[in-house]
Amino acid sequence: MLLNQFLLLAAVLFCIGVYGVVSRRNGVLVLMSIELILNSVNINLVAFSAMTGAVSGQVFALFVIAVAAAEVGVGLAIVLAIFRNYRSVDLDDVDLMKG
Amino acid sequence: MSGLLLAATQNADAPVYVAQNIAFGIIAAMMIFSAVRVVITDNVVHAAVYLVMVLAGAAAQFILLGAEFIAITQVLIYVGAIVVLFLFGIMLTKAPMSGTEKLSRDNWILGSLTSLVLLALLGYALIDGFGRDKLPADLAPTNTRAVSDSIFSTYLVPFEIISLLLLAALIGAIVIARRD
């Protein structure tokens, strides 16, 4: 197996996630797209770990999983707070600091 | 997509791992299809279910790469915990179960252009940098003991910081989400 096939798969998933972050209006769906991005980073880390034979990549993938869990917890709490104040999770409504 | 298929079929001058490559191709196609459905579907619950398929596919790729501990952790934490959290978020924010409310912006052309340009740049850089690099032939499963040894010796301080981060995120999520 080539290293590049995993890296290109991760790149495709990353770009799909970026598209989701840019184009979605629902806060929960934006968080899901961020999960896609973090997941593609994990694929890269594990692929390089398999390439070099060192376990550091796998350790960092574990760290990324833990950070993703924390991020989803805080992110969904923020989305819930937005929903309570605006009665919607449409991110276009949240323009209080827009100049 | 075509670059992936090209990469999967072009290792002619090496022992060809047909089974692994076919498995990779099927799982990668499933992952990309599901990821696209996550970002374009009009139903929030469907998006969560497609996200499960992407995450499970990533776990399968980790097994192909011989990282079985990461794969199990991926299934436990992502599929087991994070998706359930997403479903609770969908339930609590009363997101529409059908396409009655707009979930995407109108300027999706600009967004897709951005991501396609990014994909072209990344693809060019990857093919240029790692053109035909091969993974080691014997991708034996990594010893989980090696991973844990590494966590608890070399990366002990980051591990403790991660636990502090999780505690802070727990308290922060409660403080932000509670109604008072």
Side-chain angles (χ1 to χ4, degrees), chain A residues 23-25 35 39 84 92, chain B residues 41 74 78 103-105 177:
Chain A
S23 73
R24 285 301 206 181
R25 294 169 66 175
E35 289 309 306
N39 206 52
R84 195 174 310 130
D92 285 350
Chain B
T41 183
Q74 170 98 0
Y78 266 111
L103 297 175
S104 297
R105 288 182 215 287

Side-chain angles (χ1 to χ4, degrees), chain B:
Chain B
M1 192 64 200
S2 60
L4 281 176
L5 294 178
L6 203 68
T9 52
Q10 262 190 352
N11 46 1
D13 52 344
V16 183
Y17 300 96
V18 181
Q20 283 99 324
N21 277 327
I22 290 175
F24 172 85
I26 292 173
I27 298 166
M30 186 199 79
M31 286 173 76
I32 291 172
F33 171 77
S34 305
V36 169
R37 291 296 296 167
V38 168
V39 295
I40 67 171
T41 183
D42 283 333
N43 188 319
V44 190
V45 181
H46 287 187
V49 175
Y50 278 117
L51 185 68
V52 169
M53 287 180 68
V54 179
L55 299 172
Q61 303 284 18
F62 293 159
I63 289 179
L64 269 183
L65 284 167
E68 87 280 2
F69 183 63
I70 312 293
I72 290 169
T73 313
Q74 170 98 0
V75 172
L76 272 178
I77 294 183
Y78 266 111
V79 183
I82 291 183
V83 171
V84 173
L85 214 58
F86 272 125
L87 289 173
F88 268 99
I90 292 169
M91 191 180 74
L92 291 174
T93 54
K94 282 193 220 129
M97 301 296 267
S98 60
T100 54
E101 188 177 318
K102 286 192 70 176
L103 297 175
S104 297
R105 288 182 215 287
D106 293 329
N107 59 353
W108 60 273
I109 296 176
L110 213 56
S112 57
L113 192 69
T114 307
S115 72
L116 281 179
V117 169
L118 186 61
L119 179 63
L121 277 173
L122 281 175
Y124 172 74
L126 286 177
I127 292 173
D128 192 44
F130 300 102
R132 304 294 294 276
D133 288 2
K134 288 177 190 58
L135 289 170
D138 51 340
L139 272 180
T142 319
N143 198 349
T144 304
R145 175 186 289 176
V147 177
S148 72
D149 277 349
S150 184
I151 288 177
F152 288 108
S153 60
T154 315
Y155 296 105
L156 184 61
V157 176
F159 179 73
E160 296 295 338
I161 293 173
I162 283 285
S163 61
L164 260 183
L165 173 80
L166 281 174
L167 180 67
L170 186 72
I171 297 172
I174 292 172
V175 169
I176 293 172
R178 67 190 276 226
R179 55 181 82 237
D180 48 2

Side-chain angles (χ1 to χ4, degrees), chain A residues 9-86:
Chain A
L9 171 69
V12 170
L13 288 180
F14 184 89
C15 294
I16 293 172
V18 167
Y19 171 74
V21 171
V22 171
S23 73
R24 285 301 206 181
R25 294 169 66 175
N26 186 307
V28 179
L29 287 170
V30 170
L31 283 177
M32 283 186 198
S33 306
I34 293 175
E35 289 309 306
L36 283 182
I37 292 176
L38 289 172
N39 206 52
S40 73
V41 171
N42 268 350
I43 294 177
N44 262 4
L45 284 172
V46 176
F48 279 116
S49 165
M51 177 76 182
T52 59
V55 292
S56 307
Q58 299 191 25
V59 174
F60 274 93
L62 285 175
F63 288 165
V64 169
I65 289 175
V67 171
E71 174 257 329
V72 165
V74 177
L76 279 176
I78 292 173
V79 169
L80 283 185
I82 289 173
F83 177 74
R84 195 174 310 130
N85 288 322
Y86 291 85

